[in-house]
Amino acid sequence: MKRALPVLVLSVAGLVPLWRYEPSADTTSTTQTAPPAASPSASSSPGSSPGSSARVVTGSTVKTEKGPVQVEVTFEGDKISAVRMLQQPNHPQTTAAVPKLVAETLQAQSADIDTVSGATVTSDGYKESLQAALDAKGA
């Protein structure tokens, strides 16, 4: 009888995370209303002056098992000045990983960045879309 209470308490404590678990949904969060590009595209920044060297390049849409990933990269000359997610999976790990991926991109100035632990699928999609944008900028 002395063991019954701890076994019952530990069993319930072990089941609580299972009851609270929510699997990822296939819905995506879109931060831009424009339709996604099927391939990388480049354009001048809408707010830039004619003599400005700012350029906005959209990476390709990468379909991952968690949902589509697409980035938009702003260049000031040859330097990456900003990265924005146009499409990303609607998942807590993705939401937490995006700022880390963007910060690493701005520091590395390339797509050669580390994968964020817990968001491997999104990180891989991010790097692929980022590389497509970098390739499109060079073309």
Side-chain angles (χ1 to χ4, degrees):
M1 189 67 178
K2 292 181 182 181
R3 292 184 191 173
L5 187 58
V7 168
L8 180 63
V9 170
L10 291 174
S11 295
V12 170
L15 290 174
V16 168
L18 291 175
W19 292 325
R20 295 186 51 133
Y21 177 75
E22 289 184 38
S24 63
D26 285 341
T27 61
T28 60
S29 169
T30 305
T31 57
Q32 182 178 354
T33 58
S39 62
S41 63
S43 66
S44 293
S45 176
S48 64
S49 61
S52 175
S53 61
R55 185 173 177 196
V56 178
V57 181
T58 303
S60 59
T61 301
V62 178
K63 300 202 183 306
T64 70
E65 61 190 59
K66 300 284 185 184
V69 176
Q70 184 180 29
V71 299
E72 176 184 83
V73 183
T74 303
F75 294 92
E76 295 289 336
D78 287 334
K79 184 179 177 190
I80 299 172
S81 61
V83 179
R84 185 171 69 126
M85 293 289 283
L86 299 180
Q87 293 186 65
Q88 68 186 45
N90 186 17
H91 200 272
Q93 283 95 347
T94 297
T95 305
V98 169
K100 294 174 186 175
L101 292 167
V102 170
E104 280 202 42
T105 301
L106 294 175
Q107 183 178 4
Q109 292 293 305
S110 73
D112 187 22
I113 58 174
D114 291 333
T115 298
V116 175
S117 179
T120 304
V121 172
T122 300
S123 296
D124 291 345
Y126 173 91
K127 290 191 282 188
E128 188 176 332
S129 183
L130 177 62
Q131 186 61 57
L134 295 172
D135 293 345
K137 193 257 183 201

